[in-house]
Amino acid sequence: MAVGSCESIVLLYSQPRIPRSALQIRCSSSLASKQASSSSKIPSALQDFEAVIGVETHVQLGTATKAFCGCLSQYGAQPNSNVCPVCMGLPGALPVLNERVVDFAVKLGLALNCDLSLRSKFDRKQYFYADLPKGYQISQFDIPIARHGSIEVDLPVEYGGGHRKFGITRVHIEEDAGKLVHAGGGGRLSGSPYSLVTFFFSSCCFSLLVFVDLNRAGVPLLEIVSEPDMRTGIEAAEYAAEVARVVKCLGIGSGSMAEGSLRCDVNVSVRPRGQAAFGTKVEIKNMNSCAAMHRAIDFEILRQVALHKEGLESKIVQETRLWEEGSQRTVTMRAKEGLADYRYFPEPDLLELVLKQEQVDSINEALPELPNETRRRYEALGLSMQDVLVLADDKSVSEYFDSTLEQGADMKMAANWIMGDITAYLKTEKLSISDVKISPSVLAELVSLIKDGTISGKIGKEISDEAEIASLVDKVLLENPKQLEAFKKGKTKLQGFFEGQVMRSTNGRVNPILMKKVVAQKLGLS
């Protein structure tokens, strides 16, 4: 134990690792060097084998407070600033269920076509790790709030397209653990030989305040467990993307894998084609995007198939592996716990959770149109699947498109504008569609003018917003004070100079007639 100062103590503890076999190392290095083309190898690798894939998704809920206490559920706050005796697991502290968590769970259960349990309960899931101060996690085990559901996915056209339906085993409520800082390995969990556990002491009363960073401890989660229905990396990645869309559409969370508010663990096994029994499954963690999921699963499939082909399938053990983005491979983290290791038993400090049918019906009636429903509606309108997948990917984009159609715009022309120039502009400026200055009614009018030949498509793409042009002119005048002063002293020919600067700043895409008018106004000529 190393003591840093009177205010902090840092403990180091090692993380036991399973030695990687020589074959695993050989497979990892050879496959990692060819990861860029791994997806193209999947079809041939699976001629004689079949992958079986299931996904466990943790959705962080966007509630103001935590699951079982009144602490703020705030992302990015100062470490250990949102903690109390309940989420710190101090003796005698009792949990109280956040009612909004239940409402969000019902919403998600209904959106995933699940059967809801009108009576469910909470359980204690035992495991001992430094980020879990109580030594157990409050979760749901044998009676989850929702089960036996399904979700529908449309695969990208570039991957052959197609419609898939995947089963949902269960959705249950649980609390998150705290956060550890992993030392070594470039700050990554993989490659880290030990972790840092910090105790802070108050300088005034010398009492123990916090244990690691427990801001995240007690934050409400919904865990979604899929059926093992997926067979390829792209299917699993699109499943995760669809879950994220549903979460955002319902308004129950941000659904961001990059921020960690939606986290996916993937179980992958391989079996010879025609074999009914599953192979030994391996869990993969540490994936921060759907694209990373796709790559990680493809790598793991190829690794396991290689072992099968060499007659070394016994080397595939039930374990947890990490995805290393840098080396594009999975590596061993730890042996996988079994159900018996968790020693579930009913949570004695929480009452049975009872839902009223009226409550469920009320939530069901208020559900928005879900992403799959939006795609089916756009399909029925006659849009191509490529257009459908782009326009229905984000709820704010689909709402903008719908509003444009309501203003009488031609469907295909409006879709092309949104997917083309508007999307390109938003990407360049790093804006969302809610920030765009062209309202749906203006876009509808513009599309109508182009369609009936009043203006050309090129003119239509010029900047014609007077307020935006005024802002551009102001900027040009501010950046050219000497020329502006000379103009005021009588050099009126400089008006052309200012007009040229505005034209140059927009790459010639400003409406010239409107721009000349605004420049004249700013220079006091009209």
Side-chain angles (χ1 to χ4, degrees):
M1 179 175 72
V3 179
S5 71
C6 62
E7 292 191 352
S8 66
I9 300 175
V10 178
L11 304 179
L12 306 184
Y13 66 91
S14 62
Q15 301 179 86
R17 297 186 174 277
I18 303 173
R20 295 166 63 206
S21 69
L23 178 66
Q24 286 175 310
I25 295 171
R26 188 165 70 251
C27 288
S28 296
S29 60
S30 63
L31 289 172
S33 65
K34 301 173 183 176
Q35 181 59 31
S37 59
S38 67
S39 290
S40 63
K41 297 179 187 232
I42 290 295
S44 59
L46 293 179
Q47 284 180 352
D48 301 318
F49 295 89
E50 179 181 55
V52 178
I53 303 162
V55 182
E56 298 170 8
T57 307
H58 289 88
V59 176
Q60 182 175 315
L61 299 181
T63 55
T65 55
K66 295 184 181 181
F68 303 107
C69 68
C71 291
L72 292 178
S73 182
Q74 185 181 12
Y75 178 76
Q78 282 290 331
N80 298 298
S81 59
N82 295 331
V83 294
C84 73
V86 174
C87 50
M88 291 174 68
L90 298 184
L94 296 175
V96 177
L97 178 60
N98 184 337
E99 186 178 359
R100 196 154 179 78
V101 171
V102 179
D103 288 343
F104 284 2
V106 172
K107 269 190 178 183
L108 186 60
L110 291 169
L112 296 178
N113 306 296
C114 292
D115 297 329
L116 294 178
S117 302
L118 295 183
R119 305 181 79 92
S120 61
K121 67 181 179 69
F122 289 97
D123 302 274
R124 288 187 179 182
K125 180 181 181 181
Q126 319 285 326
Y127 65 92
F128 298 92
Y129 204 53
D131 60 0
L132 195 70
K134 296 193 294 286
Y136 63 86
Q137 177 188 36
I138 299 178
S139 182
Q140 291 186 306
F141 176 47
D142 54 328
I143 311 178
I145 194 167
R147 48 189 159 186
H148 309 317
S150 63
I151 190 169
E152 297 186 38
V153 171
D154 291 288
L155 297 183
V157 176
E158 59 269 30
Y159 287 94
H163 190 68
R164 300 285 191 277
K165 185 175 182 178
F166 302 123
I168 302 292
T169 306
R170 57 188 283 141
V171 178
H172 65 259
I173 301 169
E174 63 183 22
E175 61 179 341
D176 208 346
K179 181 181 179 182
L180 294 177
V181 178
H182 296 276
R188 300 185 305 272
L189 178 57
S190 56
S192 170
Y194 57 87
S195 297
L196 305 178
V197 181
T198 307
F199 293 79
F200 294 93
F201 291 89
S202 166
S203 57
C204 58
C205 61
F206 304 101
S207 60
L208 182 64
L209 291 181
V210 292
F211 177 63
V212 288
D213 181 4
L214 297 181
N215 278 350
R216 206 170 66 185
V219 166
L221 303 175
L222 292 179
E223 181 172 357
I224 309 166
V225 181
S226 82
E227 291 288 329
D229 289 348
M230 289 148 259
R231 296 293 177 263
T232 63
I234 188 60
E235 287 185 353
E238 285 303 311
Y239 164 89
E242 187 70 4
V243 169
R245 291 185 198 105
V246 170
V247 167
K248 288 186 279 190
C249 177
L250 295 174
I252 64 174
S254 69
S256 171
M257 290 185 74
E259 289 180 2
S261 57
L262 188 143
R263 307 191 290 274
C264 292
D265 301 331
V266 180
N267 293 305
V268 181
S269 65
V270 165
R271 63 185 176 188
R273 287 201 174 273
Q275 177 180 302
F278 290 162
T280 301
K281 70 178 180 181
V282 168
E283 183 182 43
I284 311 173
K285 290 182 178 288
N286 201 39
M287 298 163 292
N288 62 2
S289 70
C290 293
M293 275 185 69
H294 185 182
R295 293 192 295 270
I297 292 168
D298 281 357
F299 176 92
E300 187 59 25
I301 290 171
L302 293 175
R303 186 186 76 87
Q304 292 188 29
V305 167
L307 289 167
H308 273 278
K309 286 184 174 179
E310 294 192 35
L312 295 171
E313 57 268 28
S314 62
K315 297 289 185 181
I316 303 172
V317 295
Q318 187 167 327
E319 62 176 344
T320 298
R321 298 177 71 86
L322 293 176
W323 171 245
E324 284 190 341
E325 186 65 33
S327 60
Q328 295 285 292
R329 65 178 183 177
T330 64
V331 296
T332 294
M333 178 187 178
R334 61 171 180 259
K336 176 65 178 170
E337 296 91 345
L339 236 112
D341 296 320
Y342 293 130
R343 292 174 291 117
Y344 285 98
F345 67 83
E347 168 57 70
D349 293 332
L350 287 168
L351 296 173
E352 181 183 39
L353 177 56
V354 179
L355 297 176
K356 293 182 179 179
Q357 189 61 50
E358 307 86 71
Q359 175 189 7
V360 173
D361 293 341
S362 175
I363 292 173
N364 191 36
E365 289 171 8
L367 287 180
E369 181 181 64
L370 297 170
N372 184 58
E373 295 169 337
T374 304
R375 294 196 297 271
R376 300 288 75 82
R377 178 164 59 85
Y378 287 170
E379 238 186 335
L381 290 175
L383 286 169
S384 70
M385 183 51 67
Q386 187 130 8
D387 292 351
V388 167
L389 293 178
V390 173
L391 293 169
D393 184 61
D394 186 295
K395 187 171 178 61
S396 59
V397 173
S398 64
E399 287 176 343
Y400 184 92
F401 177 59
D402 288 342
S403 296
T404 306
L405 296 187
E406 287 169 6
Q407 299 294 326
D410 177 83
M411 178 182 66
K412 184 58 181 172
M413 290 180 70
N416 288 343
W417 267 86
I418 293 170
M419 295 186 299
D421 292 270
I422 291 177
T423 297
Y425 170 76
L426 295 177
K427 185 176 180 181
T428 301
E429 300 298 322
K430 297 181 180 177
L431 301 171
S432 68
I433 200 158
S434 59
D435 300 314
V436 75
K437 293 181 179 178
I438 302 175
S439 67
S441 60
V442 170
L443 178 59
E445 184 179 358
L446 180 64
V447 166
S448 297
L449 290 171
I450 296 171
K451 187 177 181 182
D452 64 20
T454 304
I455 62 173
S456 68
K458 182 178 183 299
I459 293 175
K461 293 180 182 181
E462 293 174 346
I463 299 170
S464 300
D465 184 288
E466 188 165 350
E468 186 174 354
I469 293 172
S471 176
L472 292 168
V473 173
D474 286 340
K475 187 171 184 289
V476 165
L477 296 178
L478 187 65
E479 291 174 348
N480 296 278
K482 290 183 180 178
Q483 290 83 349
L484 181 59
E485 187 63 29
F487 175 86
K488 291 177 179 178
K489 289 180 179 179
K491 277 196 165 186
T492 55
K493 288 184 178 180
L494 284 171
Q495 179 180 351
F497 166 79
F498 296 124
E499 291 171 355
Q501 292 298 306
V502 175
M503 190 68 74
R504 188 174 295 111
S505 70
T506 62
N507 294 318
R509 291 184 62 185
V510 66
N511 185 310
I513 298 172
L514 190 56
M515 182 268 292
K516 286 176 180 290
K517 172 190 166 186
V518 173
V519 169
Q521 289 173 343
K522 293 288 184 180
L523 294 175
L525 298 177
S526 62

